Amino acid sequence: MKLYISPASPFARKVRLVAHEAGLASRVEEIPTAVSPLKPNADLAKANPLMKLPTLVTDEGFALFDSPVICEYLDSLNAGRKLFPEAGAARWSALRQQAIADGILDAAISVRYQTALAPKALQWIDWQDGQRTKWRQGLDCLEADAQALQGEPTIGSLSVAATLAWLDFRYGADDWRKGRPALSGWFAVFSQRPSMLATPPTA
Ligand SMILES: N[C@@H](CCC(=O)N[C@@H](CS)C(=O)NCC(=O)O)C(=O)O
């Protein structure tokens, strides 16, 4: 399988974490790929018309995206304990955690694109503040329900870990830990997992 990634991408990291936790890392060839909303990547477009990372091309040559779909595909090949709980409350809790983690990233990355790529005259501060509210409230929601992250890893906790690590990487000065002791305590322990140590974000 070929996995198109950027070493800085938190969505790609989520997939890489799943590959490690599912015992599939050796079957996934990581292909560093440059993307930007301002520079179409014609090569990546052959596999993913949205030109986003991560994109997975299976051994059969079928291209999969976006990260929740890729993660579920990898888990379907997982011979061990499943990372997507199969049914019931555990499943909906893990999928909800993934949705919150991905939503925080959608908000934070859109702000980063605007602050890093848009000219000063096009900075829309009220809109950025609105996105920051979404990501702050998402973190508060994870803090309130941090107990649900405990236990063996799932797609939910792996998504949350990829998101928190990226916030440290890109928005370290914002200090998401402040006022969130349960979430930061959980993350300190989870960060020591071999899958986390094997996939640090790099610029
Ligand atoms: N919902 C997508 C989001 C993927 C995404 O936004 N990836 C970023 C990199 S972290 C990207 O490819 N950006 C390039 C672009 O927006 O053109 C997923 O879960 O995979």
Side-chain angles (χ1 to χ4, degrees):
M1 290 174 274
K2 290 188 191 322
L3 180 65
Y4 295 86
I5 63 150
S6 145
S9 164
F11 293 107
R13 188 170 192 202
K14 175 175 51 153
V15 170
R16 295 163 74 208
L17 289 172
V18 165
H20 277 268
E21 295 285 350
L24 298 168
S26 63
R27 290 176 55 187
V28 175
E29 180 190 356
E30 294 183 353
I31 303 179
T33 304
V35 289
S36 162
L38 298 185
K39 284 191 206 139
N41 181 326
D43 283 338
L44 183 61
K46 290 173 197 155
N48 180 348
L50 307 176
M51 296 179 293
K52 290 192 179 197
L53 303 173
T55 296
L56 182 84
V57 178
T58 69
D59 289 341
E60 293 74 34
F62 190 65
L64 289 174
F65 39 85
D66 50 4
S67 63
V69 177
I70 299 172
C71 290
E72 194 158 358
Y73 174 76
L74 291 177
D75 204 35
S76 77
L77 305 179
N78 178 2
R81 189 186 58 81
K82 294 291 184 187
L83 301 169
F84 282 71
E86 274 167 28
R91 177 172 176 80
W92 301 119
S93 173
L95 292 181
R96 189 179 106 128
Q97 287 162 347
Q98 177 178 222
I100 295 170
D102 286 3
I104 292 169
L105 289 178
D106 285 336
I109 289 175
S110 68
V111 169
R112 182 170 161 78
Y113 279 151
Q114 192 181 114
T115 51
L117 301 178
K120 208 169 176 185
L122 294 182
Q123 298 291 325
W124 188 0
I125 303 303
D126 287 347
W127 181 86
Q128 292 175 17
D129 287 347
Q131 297 302 310
R132 285 180 182 277
T133 298
K134 290 177 195 290
W135 107 54
R136 191 184 63 244
Q137 290 182 174
L139 289 167
D140 289 342
C141 185
L142 293 173
E143 167 70 15
D145 205 15
Q147 181 59 34
L149 293 164
Q150 299 291 345
E152 291 296 311
T154 67
I155 186 57
S157 54
L158 293 165
S159 304
V160 172
T163 291
L164 298 178
W166 186 83
L167 290 177
D168 279 342
F169 179 60
R170 290 296 191 206
Y171 286 101
D174 279 13
D175 194 8
W176 62 263
R177 290 174 177 77
K178 197 165 170 215
R180 300 189 184 98
L183 189 59
S184 48
W186 168 79
F187 184 61
V189 175
F190 199 88
S191 298
Q192 297 310 308
R193 293 189 69 79
S195 62
M196 290 290 288
L197 297 174
T199 57
T202 53

